[in-house]
Amino acid sequence: MSNKGTDAIASPYVEVALPVPLRRVFTYGVSDPFRGSLRRGSRVAVSFNRRKLVGVVVSGRENLPEGVKRAVDVAGLLESEPVFTPELLRFLEQAAKYYMHPIGEVLRAAAPALPAGAMKRLRADGFLDAEENLPGQRVAHHLTWEIRATDDDVGSVRLGARQKKLIELLRGRDSMFLDELRSEISDPRSVVRALAEKGLLTFKEVEANPDPFFRTPVERDVPPPPTAAQQHAIDAITDAILEQRAEPFLLHGVTGSGKTEVYLRAIDEVRKAGAGAILLVPEIALTPQLVGRFRARFGDDIAVLHSGLTARQREDAWQALRRGRVRVAIGARSALFAPVADLRLVVVDEEHDPSFKQDEGFRYHARDMALLRAQYAGAVCVLGSATPSIETYHRANEGKMHLLSLPSRATGATLPTVEIVDLRRHRHGPTGHPLLSGPLHAALGRCLDDGRQAILFLNRRGFSPSVRCEGCGAVAECPACSVALTEHRGQGALRCHYCDFHRPIAAPCVECGANEYHHLGVGTEQMQHAVEESFPNARVARLDRDTASGEGVEAVLDRLRTGAVDVLVGTQMVTKGHDIAGVTLVGVVLADQSLAFPDFRASERTFQLLAQVAGRAGRAETPGEVILQTFQPEHPAVRLAAQHDYEQFYGEEIMSREEVGYPPFARLVSVRVHSGAEADARNATQHLADTARQHQAVRDGAVQILGPAPAPLARLRGRYHYRLLLKSPDRKLLRNVAALLAARIDQGLPPTHATLDIDPL
Ligand code: ADP
Ligand code: ZN
């Protein structure tokens, strides 16, 4: 590997990537003080259109570009060490090329934000004031109280409400930190002091990791001896790591088969070799349990990158990884950009999950880019899933990845039995609540009688997904988006799930002034009420975006784990990798809901959701049971998910993809145009379609053009969205046509805004 990237740039000019929506770099001069100080990946301050912008140096150059007479000089250097390592920068340049996205925007999306005021701290000569002020040089100190219960008898002491609550929270735990109490109890400091005076607890000031993922102490675990299938997978992966073969693997293991244990072992090998690893997970907020397992194995040798970090914490994590002080980065899709030193392994857990696709700004797919980054870094890439994406499984079948299988559960538990309930015959059960069918009601009753727990999955939050006016029959819609308003009964509001619009449910119909609504469909809030009414003794909780913003996901899951909740009703948040022993029943309230999307991946998505949620049941000794309610019991996605038959599903799905020519047999590029006026959006999209038709590959049919058509959500936050879809089995020709459109977009299409989406989801 050349070390050209690490060397200082001695040339008189540099190319700088700026965070502007233009697919190019900009030339700046290098004045004396900066000669020899700038490096590839350095962040610099430059003037651009009379503004000061932060850009990244990507290369040096000896002369000005043709036709350019002079260049402004770089105005300041914002860090003594480049923010990007050479390996990371090369990967990001390639990613920008692949997605045809402006390199400056890609680099800005990948780098941690500069600390506030960094620009202002530049001295007159363009250098930073003092080295200590540089990001990451300071060790973050965070002091908090660690609180422990004493053995004194609580029963004999009179306590106030907040004091009682704190004692309750402390029960059954070794210790807790003051910070954890802030969301539970107001002014926790005084409550702690009062209880200490009564002799019921002790506290002391300690230095703590400010990251909530590190608050609770975790005991080191004892790794279980691997099963034969696990051992085979671990060996294959670690051999590749140790022999430095940059090969990709697909780890296909049923739910509960011990994929995480394979990741842990492989990452451990990497650490023993003194190298680093990245683990990407779908949504970090939903996987505190997984982070706990990594801490139990690796202690503090992990950095968890998540959106809850402050800019300073993110910067500290970034520096720790770069310098190799911390070897393992864990996070959602953006952890793909972690500057892990000597990267040898990239793992993508639940690789099929749609959340790996970033759907605004720099639209990338973190799973696809994980493969690219690993390849560039000379690292091994492991994609893991119980329900691999069709594209990934196809790749493995073609021999482009090694396939490793874990066919049974690691603990010896069996996969749950699945009963399909045909909703055309069983709509309302004995209680009359819609979607609480007789069989589901009976299964819940049995589960609760046995003192076990259940999860009910329904992918719609709110009380009713829409409401219809009894007076005029109009469905209440958002004034800014082309969607129905969802009824949220607890909040007394009708809400748009795409913008902030909401209005009181008591307000009269905007069409006719009547004031009675007919509820259409069932959401999680209604399902929760239905279960509470049908089983008055059950403790029912809800997990969706409405409840998560209040109590927090972790707190809700904790209540399920500790047995404080009998039934958890929730959206797809309940389908992710939770491993809760007491859960023996999973009810899928409406299995065919996701089949309704006008998308060639609807069937795949449904199969994945159903198989994943079913996998939550019966993970311990007691066998699990799944009730799958559906209007389409014969649909392959439903039928085969019920039989846990991934191979069969894949076989049917891949055939139909081939027939209609969709990925992986063709590639797609989507062009998105939006504007405040519908005609403008439509005309600009039509213009781009006409532009594409000038290309030979479109004229002779090698690249197909679908559209222009209104986007699935034609109006969003008051703007009109149009689409054009380019499709071709020939990747090169498709990219040529896309490049032609990119060039046209770069010339500007006012008053519209147009973007490309390569490999759209
Ligand atoms: P997956 O990630 O494939 O869903 P997990 O890694 O969460 O599966 O493992 C499921 C359960 O099996 C966990 O409780 C885990 O501790 C346990 N487990 C994993 N490997 C083994 C093993 N080799 N022996 C015993 N238990 C195991
Ligand atoms: Zn709206």
Side-chain angles (χ1 to χ4, degrees), residues 224-227 230 253-261 263 293 349 406 410-411 579 616 619:
T227 62
Q230 281 174 326
V254 298
T255 53
S257 60
K259 294 184 288 295
T260 312
E261 185 60 33
Y263 309 150
R293 284 172 73 181
D349 188 26
L406 305 178
T411 52
D579 187 15
R616 299 312 114 215
R619 293 180 60 108

Side-chain angles (χ1 to χ4, degrees), residues 380-396:
V380 170
C381 188
V382 177
L383 308 183
S385 176
T387 52
S389 63
I390 298 294
E391 281 95 332
T392 299
Y393 205 73
H394 179 68
R395 225 176 276 163

Side-chain angles (χ1 to χ4, degrees), residues 21 54 240 250 280 282 284 368 418 467 687 690 707 744:
V54 175
L250 167 59
L280 299 183
I284 195 78
D368 298 345
V418 182
V467 295
H687 173 72
D690 295 341
R744 179 62 195 88

Side-chain angles (χ1 to χ4, degrees), residues 615-634:
R616 299 312 114 215
R619 293 180 60 108
E621 300 78 41
T622 319
E625 181 186 0
V626 177
I627 303 277
L628 220 157
Q629 304 190 132
T630 176
F631 287 104
Q632 301 176 60
E634 7 21 68

Side-chain angles (χ1 to χ4, degrees), residues 477-485 495-502 715-718:
E477 283 190 358
C478 175
C481 311
S482 43
V483 295
L485 294 173
R495 286 192 161 273
C496 172
H497 284 180
Y498 292 89
C499 71
D500 284 337
F501 180 82
H502 54 94
R715 205 155 74 95
L716 197 59
R717 294 179 199 98

Side-chain angles (χ1 to χ4, degrees), residues 218-234:
V218 163
E219 267 178 45
R220 287 305 180 105
D221 71 344
V222 180
T227 62
Q230 281 174 326
Q231 190 64 56
H232 174 75
I234 294 164

